[in-house]
Amino acid sequence: MARRRRRSKLVVFTFLSSFIISLKVIPMYIDFIPVEESVPPRSQVVVNNITSDQTGGIESKEITKLSKGTQTSKDKITNQSTKTENTNHEHVTKKPNNITATKNTNQQKSASRSTQPQILIYHTHNRESWLPELQGKTSADEAFDSNINVTLLGEDLTKKLTAKGMNVIQSTADYPSIVKNFDYAKSYSYSKDTLSQELSNHKSIDYVFDIHRDSQPKDQTTIVFDKLNYAQLYFVVGKENPNWKETMEFATKLQNKLNKKIPGISKGIYSKDHSSGNGKYNQSLAESSALIEIGGVENVLEENYRTISILADVIHQIWHEDHGSTLS
């Protein structure tokens, strides 16, 4: 009997001990049960908008010819497409142009009321003209004139930008008549002097445009939109400039907005080094500088003027965007 009592007490003691231990261990398991986090629905997740202008990715492909007998396979044409991916979803702050970074804030906000020049238009090959506008001329090599030439396009662009409230100056220097022993191959040296002088005299200038015309035939320089002919254009960027990437970015912004208005009106952005052209094109003097070839040797002025209207709209829009002001 005594042995049975001891055995019963041992069983009870063992049971109580196990029970007490379980009371201490169970809360440990309870404390370590992971709590599932609540995830908001996709409609509540806000991601910053990121535009192609903020990322500025550029794709290029080789081309073999731009104008008859004048270009090489080293030229490149930049497509309209731009990359828009930003995996961190962070707001991207663009580096300001050197020209505009020091502008007075009040002047930036009053874009259309500025009394100082904001845009400079000039013409390195100022006598480039069009066969339909010249009597008795049939060859592209003859499409040059001292009066009927690309300065008329610059004049038209000046008028249309001025009508939008912008302050524009245009150089119509006729280098063949004012430069002693004029040499066509040195044209960019002559126009560089003009550009340097204007930028020195007018430090308020933001954008610089060198307006040309191409030598290709009409079927390669014309686009039909809404039953109207428009002269196509393209941009040239000198790869030997230290700031060529900023120049390329400026041309890309212009091209994207032009092609948004009329798809295909800009044929591309051609990057050139010294082996395929001048290589610099005076673009080292201003980051926001664009060499624009408008139309071809067989386009008429009316077709060019239509394109100038679209270009004026785009320049006006980009200027306000760059300066944080509203369109007037």
Side-chain angles (χ1 to χ4, degrees), residues 5 24 36 47 59 68 78-79 89 91 114 117 128 145 246 261 275:
R5 290 194 192 96
K24 293 182 179 181
E36 184 177 1
V47 179
E59 300 176 352
K68 291 183 179 178
T78 300
N79 291 334
H89 303 299
H91 178 71
S114 176
E128 290 177 328
D145 191 81
E246 287 77 13
K261 288 181 174 292
S275 66

Side-chain angles (χ1 to χ4, degrees), residues 17 26 51 58 61 74 82 89 102 105 118 121 129-130 138 152 155 163 167 189 212-213 229 250:
S17 298
I26 290 174
T51 67
I58 299 172
K61 65 179 181 181
K74 293 183 180 180
T82 53
H89 303 299
T102 59
T105 302
Q118 302 158 320
I121 299 170
S129 187
W130 312 270
T138 58
L152 296 176
E155 179 182 345
N167 197 315
S189 295
H212 296 247
R213 71 106 176 95
N229 284 354
F250 183 55

Side-chain angles (χ1 to χ4, degrees), residues 35 84 104 143 214 286:
V35 179
T84 58
N104 181 273
D214 193 22

Side-chain angles (χ1 to χ4, degrees), residues 177-194:
S177 65
I178 63 177
V179 176
K180 186 177 181 180
N181 299 321
F182 173 80
D183 182 355
Y184 189 84
K186 298 180 180 178
S187 294
Y188 283 98
S189 295
Y190 307 143
S191 64
K192 183 177 182 180
D193 291 339
T194 298

Side-chain angles (χ1 to χ4, degrees), residues 237 243-252 283 286-287 289:
V237 172
N243 59 312
W244 73 268
K245 291 183 179 179
E246 287 77 13
T247 306
M248 177 70 79
E249 181 182 1
F250 183 55
T252 301
Q283 292 168 348
E287 287 183 2
S289 174

